Amino acid sequence: MAAKQDPSLRVPLQDYWRSRSTQQKQLQTQFGDNFEQHLLTNLGYAARIYPLLWQGLETDKPANISLNVDDAFTFLSESAWVLEDAGYKVIVPAWWTPKGRQRAKIRLQVKGKGSKSAAIKGKGLFSADSLVEYQYELAIGGERVSEQEWQALVNSKTPLVQFRGQWMELDKDKMQEMLNFWQKHREENPDVSLIDFMKLTAEGEASEDLEVERDRALSDMLEKLHDKSRLELIADPVRFQGKLRDYQKRGVSWLSYLESLGLNGCLADDMGLGKSAQVIARLLQEREVLSTSKETEKALALSVLPTLLIAPTSVVGNWQKEMEKFAPELRSLIHHGPQRLQDAKAFKAAVQDCDMLITSFTLARKDEKLLSSVAWHRLVIDEAQNIKNPKAAQTKAILKLPATHRLALTGTPVENRLLDLWSIFNFLNPGYLGKEAQFRKMFELPIQKHGSRTQSAALKKLVEPFILRRLKTDKSIIQDLPDKVEQKLYCNLTREQASLYEAIVKEVEQEIDAAEGMKRKGMILATLLKLKQICNHPRQFLQDESEFTPERSHKLERLIEMIEEVKAEGESLLVFTQFTELGSALEKYIKHTLHYNTYYIHGGTSREKRERMISEFQDPESEPSVFILSLKAGGVGITLTKANHVFHFDRWWNPAVEDQATDRAFRIGQKIDQMIEDKKKLAGSIIGADESWLTELDNEAFKKLIRLNKNAVLD
């Protein structure tokens, strides 16, 4: 019994009845008037809920009742919580509480092969010294259990048993499954690679039935990979022409540590945080370490092995300039254009004389055989979202390239869907996330379709050691970058645009009912594209080479007004569009009508011309300029920090692609605290890049979408 006024005052009923009358009176003053009457009345009410209590109420001095093991289990698992809901305070044994429960588990013991796991500090994934030994054991409450003891527990007739002096609950079916698993694997004492160990550990931590026990060296390794702040920061490489920020030093330290383990990672820093500088610093740091190595011959051999860097065509030249800027002593060679080396013998000779070969994604596919003829020391993929499609010939070609180390660089490791992440990891550490079909079933569908937090957490646990991501918006990372200010500007349609818009809507409403399957999906996408073109400018939709003037499009009119405002301040700006023909029209109008210095990059612009325009635009001595860019051709990899205004004239289907484009200006080097995005709210802002939503889109839903789009434009 316990006092309401002082719950900490508890007295066993048996002690109360056996105490002297003076002691009972003293207790009654503490427990309240008519204590005994209230006690018996409430025990009677409790017995109605839990009938076995009647056994103790057959006397006028009830003290306790006796329960067998089955009754005790039923009380703990069912009746106790019913009584508690009815207002009774129920105290259960500590061993029944979640913290105190003894759990039956399979224990996975892992240790580095060799004494004291020295190998884990070692030389690589495929080195014999870097293998990891593991063994499964049966365990309860952290103590090893023999097969005989386990079998005896499984054969027990009750779910509540006493084991080694302590009571515990058994799930016999689950324990039998664990026993079967252990019996299957007990004879094995295999060696696994470090990457397999990482997978085993992540899966074990996500399972309630598996307990992972690691030796000290492996535990220390995992802690450093999960908590990158534990890594010791490198000093600036002696020959690095510049000064690394602390977060960049941590990035180089992480790359160095991963490669020392033979693991491959994804540097996923936000656009503009200097991923290229970190890669170049790693090349210099690596050579400094090799130059001090006692293994002179081996160091010399390693030092001449080149790195292959694959990047979008638009930034091939930029990488060479970054090399010249930060590490002029490193030798770089561009493999691009019709004059590139295509003779295998001459190519190999040229490669051996450089530290980094830079080529494009297109040539990685076209010259796959030539590039595969060299055993690369490191393979770096810049803008790794370019290999997000595992079925693309480009991706397949890159996967075949031989390299000791692999590194992915991207500001958007997941651009459209989780399969993007799988494809990047399939390049970095093949098989780590399973096969594509397994990944879809285990992670993509549960997370994207059903929002499974459990699987999301499990996936995060798997990939976290291999991804380093920092954001520009994190002031602890970078303090001297101005805030990005975004604005959405809404424009009315002109009469001409409204009439064209209305005509398209009526036409589609008449045809959509008769369309089915892929034809219907194609019709929807085609219609959305037409509506976007109308909202941009009637000329783009009509394709009639008519006048491209602001009077026909309020959207163009507003853009021209804002360009003039920016120019009046003596500042430069970027304008992005997804349509090449619209970019050409904008360039011609701004250059010849407004007489502003204008540049235009699109997919057909040659590398030499592209680099010349970027260099002229970035020149601090040049006049303020307007730079028009095709979103896909100029939206990644280019540094245009002279611009402090970015206008998105039309919306892309995927906001992540737009953010990448904006980051051409919003990056280290940006000084002016003003960034404006003219984002026109069209149907592209309503849907995502994944077209699976079209599968169940009915006629009414489509009409609603059209109405939403139209209202957004007219408001």
Side-chain angles (χ1 to χ4, degrees):
M1 61 184 183
K4 282 188 177 182
Q5 291 78 7
D6 183 8
S8 64
L9 178 61
R10 297 174 183 170
V11 179
L13 278 176
Q14 195 168 45
D15 292 350
Y16 173 78
W17 298 124
R18 289 176 179 176
S19 61
R20 297 178 180 178
S21 58
T22 53
Q23 291 176 314
Q24 287 184 354
K25 287 180 181 178
Q26 194 173 24
L27 287 170
Q28 286 172 8
T29 58
Q30 293 176 293
F31 284 100
D33 297 334
N34 301 319
F35 158 69
E36 292 182 5
Q37 181 181 342
H38 287 310
L39 171 67
L40 295 173
T41 301
N42 282 298
L43 283 174
Y45 288 144
R48 293 180 182 179
I49 299 171
Y50 184 60
L52 288 181
L53 283 175
W54 290 117
Q55 298 174 15
L57 294 176
E58 293 174 353
T59 172
D60 61 345
K61 295 181 179 180
N64 54 54
I65 60 173
S66 297
L67 300 176
N68 59 35
V69 174
D70 289 335
D71 289 338
F73 178 75
T74 302
F75 175 78
L76 289 170
S77 59
E78 299 175 12
S79 306
W81 316 121
V82 177
L83 285 167
E84 195 162 66
D85 288 342
Y88 293 92
K89 178 69 175 177
V90 180
I91 301 173
V92 298
W95 50 263
W96 183 260
T97 61
K99 287 186 178 180
R101 283 190 184 184
Q102 298 275 43
R103 294 189 179 274
K105 293 185 177 183
I106 297 288
R107 183 162 60 189
L108 175 62
Q109 286 191 318
V110 287
K111 61 180 179 178
K113 191 174 182 180
S115 61
K116 300 182 181 178
S117 295
I120 301 309
K121 302 170 185 176
K123 314 253 175 111
L125 177 60
F126 301 108
S127 164
D129 290 338
S130 71
L131 296 178
V132 178
E133 295 178 346
Y134 73 91
Q135 187 175 23
Y136 288 104
E137 291 182 348
L138 299 170
I140 293 178
E143 296 183 16
R144 184 177 179 179
V145 179
S146 69
E147 182 181 3
Q148 292 75 19
E149 289 176 305
W150 192 280
Q151 189 67 63
L153 291 172
V154 172
N155 293 337
S156 62
K157 297 180 180 180
T158 62
L160 206 60
V161 298
Q162 197 170 36
F163 177 71
R164 295 182 182 176
Q166 191 163 11
W167 288 95
M168 62 178 290
E169 178 190 3
L170 293 181
D171 184 337
K172 290 191 287 184
D173 291 337
K174 184 176 285 187
M175 287 189 69
Q176 184 63 58
E177 288 178 15
M178 291 187 210
L179 181 62
N180 294 341
F181 177 87
W182 177 77
Q183 288 173 338
K184 181 180 177 182
H185 294 276
R186 64 178 170 177
E187 299 301 330
E188 299 177 10
N189 189 22
D191 297 332
V192 296
S193 65
L194 207 52
I195 192 73
D196 288 331
F197 159 71
M198 302 284 289
K199 189 174 181 178
L200 275 172
T201 299
E203 291 172 348
E205 291 177 354
S207 170
E208 293 184 356
D209 302 327
L210 185 63
E211 177 184 297
V212 182
E213 187 177 282
R214 299 175 290 267
D215 67 9
R216 185 172 180 179
L218 288 173
S219 295
D220 183 63
M221 181 201 75
L222 284 177
E223 286 174 12
K224 286 180 179 178
L225 290 176
H226 282 282
D227 182 7
K228 280 81 172 178
S229 63
R230 295 193 65 222
L231 292 169
E232 184 179 350
L233 293 186
I234 65 152
D236 284 350
V238 176
R239 292 179 174 81
F240 185 79
Q241 302 301 306
K243 185 173 178 58
L244 293 171
R245 297 167 186 257
D246 282 349
Y247 76 87
Q248 292 173 326
K249 292 179 182 179
R250 193 168 306 285
V252 179
S253 299
W254 177 73
L255 291 176
S256 175
Y257 188 64
L258 267 188
E259 291 185 350
S260 74
L261 299 170
L263 303 174
N264 300 313
C266 175
L267 183 57
D269 285 345
D270 245 355
M271 292 293 170
L273 288 183
K275 292 189 286 293
S276 58
Q278 293 174 66
V279 172
I280 294 168
R282 169 59 187 148
L283 266 63
L284 287 170
Q285 180 227 14
E286 180 178 48
R287 281 152 180 75
E288 286 183 9
V289 172
L290 288 172
S291 66
T292 59
S293 172
K294 293 179 181 179
E295 303 174 43
T296 311
E297 292 184 9
K298 187 175 180 181
L300 184 62
L302 283 173
S303 67
V304 299
L305 291 175
T307 289
L308 172 62
L309 186 135
I310 303 174
T313 304
S314 59
V315 297
V316 165
N318 188 63
W319 265 99
Q320 189 174 50
K321 288 180 179 177
E322 293 280 277
M323 290 277 286
E324 293 170 355
K325 174 183 176 182
F326 293 117
E329 73 169 41
L330 292 182
R331 300 155 298 174
S332 61
L333 175 66
I334 289 182
H335 181 72
H336 195 272
Q339 305 302 319
R340 70 185 185 276
L341 291 172
Q342 299 188 55
D343 175 72
K345 189 175 180 180
F347 178 76
K348 284 185 179 181
V351 164
Q352 291 300 322
D353 196 38
C354 75
D355 295 295
M356 180 185 282
L357 182 80
I358 307 167
T359 191
S360 66
F361 283 99
T362 302
L363 291 181
R365 175 177 57 81
K366 287 184 177 180
D367 292 353
E368 176 196 336
K369 187 175 180 180
L370 187 66
L371 295 173
S372 296
S373 66
V374 176
W376 304 98
H377 178 55
R378 181 183 293 103
L379 174 56
V380 182
I381 303 297
D382 189 22
E383 304 297 346
Q385 64 272 18
N386 281 280
I387 61 168
K388 66 185 179 184
N389 182 1
K391 293 182 174 60
Q394 176 176 279
T395 304
K396 292 177 180 178
I398 290 172
L399 290 176
K400 295 176 185 177
L401 298 176
T404 304
H405 303 295
R406 294 186 172 200
L407 173 62
L409 308 177
T410 177
T412 52
V414 179
E415 190 175 62
N416 295 328
R417 49 182 182 163
L418 278 182
L419 193 61
D420 300 354
L421 184 67
W422 179 87
S423 190
I424 291 174
F425 265 77
N426 190 46
F427 160 74
L428 293 172
N429 302 300
Y432 181 67
L433 293 182
K435 295 182 178 178
E436 182 180 345
Q438 293 173 321
F439 183 82
R440 282 180 181 275
K441 182 179 179 181
M442 186 171 293
F443 295 111
E444 188 178 34
L445 289 175
I447 294 173
Q448 289 189 187
K449 192 171 183 180
H450 306 297
S452 172
R453 293 186 178 182
T454 302
Q455 290 308 98
S456 180
L459 179 59
K460 182 182 178 184
K461 204 79 175 177
L462 278 167
V463 303
E464 192 174 39
F466 303 97
I467 295 180
L468 180 59
R469 179 161 176 77
R470 280 79 61 92
L471 305 177
K472 290 196 295 282
T473 51
D474 184 352
K475 292 300 183 183
S476 66
I477 297 297
I478 181 168
Q479 294 85 31
D480 57 354
L481 188 65
D483 292 332
K484 178 168 64 174
V485 180
E486 297 187 20
Q487 295 179 359
K488 292 181 181 179
L489 304 180
Y490 298 90
C491 306
N492 295 325
L493 295 176
T494 62
R495 288 184 178 274
E496 182 182 8
Q497 286 175 304
S499 63
L500 290 171
Y501 197 108
E502 190 68 29
I504 291 296
V505 171
K506 287 181 179 179
E507 180 184 341
V508 171
E509 286 180 335
Q510 292 171 3
E511 297 179 3
I512 192 69
D513 293 331
E516 294 181 356
M518 290 301 297
K519 182 180 177 181
R520 183 165 166 275
K521 294 178 184 179
M523 185 184 298
I524 292 172
L525 287 179
T527 303
L528 292 175
L529 190 62
K530 291 176 183 177
L531 295 177
K532 292 181 76 172
Q533 292 173 333
I534 292 170
C535 292
N536 283 342
H537 198 283
R539 167 176 154 166
Q540 186 187 4
F541 170 71
L542 296 171
Q543 297 289 307
D544 60 357
E545 295 300 318
S546 56
E547 286 187 333
F548 187 76
T549 59
E551 291 76 18
R552 301 179 67 191
S553 168
H554 290 319
K555 191 178 185 184
L556 176 60
E557 181 182 33
R558 182 63 184 123
L559 175 68
I560 298 305
E561 289 173 356
M562 291 188 293
I563 289 176
E564 290 176 336
E565 291 170 9
V566 172
K567 292 293 290 181
E569 296 295 326
E571 298 170 353
S572 296
L573 59 98
L574 310 181
V575 179
F576 284 100
T577 175
Q578 72 178 96
F579 302 102
T580 305
E581 70 273 15
L582 184 62
S584 299
L586 284 170
E587 179 199 23
K588 184 177 179 180
Y589 184 86
I590 295 170
K591 181 179 288 187
H592 298 292
T593 305
L594 302 181
H595 306 293
Y596 291 155
N597 191 31
T598 309
Y599 302 95
Y600 176 39
I601 283 181
H602 54 84
T605 308
S606 67
R607 182 172 64 85
E608 293 76 13
K609 186 177 180 181
R610 184 193 316 252
E611 291 174 10
R612 177 178 55 78
M613 287 191 288
I614 293 171
S615 178
E616 290 178 7
F617 180 83
Q618 284 290 93
D619 185 354
E621 300 301 322
S622 65
E623 64 178 290
S625 308
V626 178
F627 212 136
I628 302 166
L629 304 104
S630 162
L631 193 67
K632 297 304 285 184
V636 294
I638 300 176
T639 298
L640 297 170
T641 50
K642 187 178 178 181
N644 56 287
H645 299 262
V646 179
F647 298 94
H648 286 277
F649 190 74
D650 46 72
R651 301 297 307 272
W652 185 246
W653 307 107
N654 188 345
V657 176
E658 290 183 343
D659 290 339
Q660 277 194 320
T662 301
D663 285 340
R664 298 311 95 224
F666 185 58
R667 57 203 299 126
I668 294 173
Q670 174 57 239
K671 303 295 184 185
I672 304 175
D673 190 4
Q674 176 68 16
M675 189 71 57
I676 301 176
E677 293 186 65
D678 179 18
K679 293 190 173 180
K680 196 75 187 78
K681 189 171 184 180
L682 300 177
S685 65
I686 300 173
I687 65 173
D690 185 357
E691 297 172 11
S692 59
W693 64 278
L694 292 171
T695 307
E696 299 177 0
L697 188 64
D698 58 21
N699 297 351
E700 289 304 316
F702 176 73
K703 292 175 183 176
K704 182 179 180 182
L705 181 61
I706 297 296
R707 287 196 299 273
L708 282 172
N709 182 23
K710 184 177 178 182
N711 291 338
V713 176
L714 292 175
D715 282 347

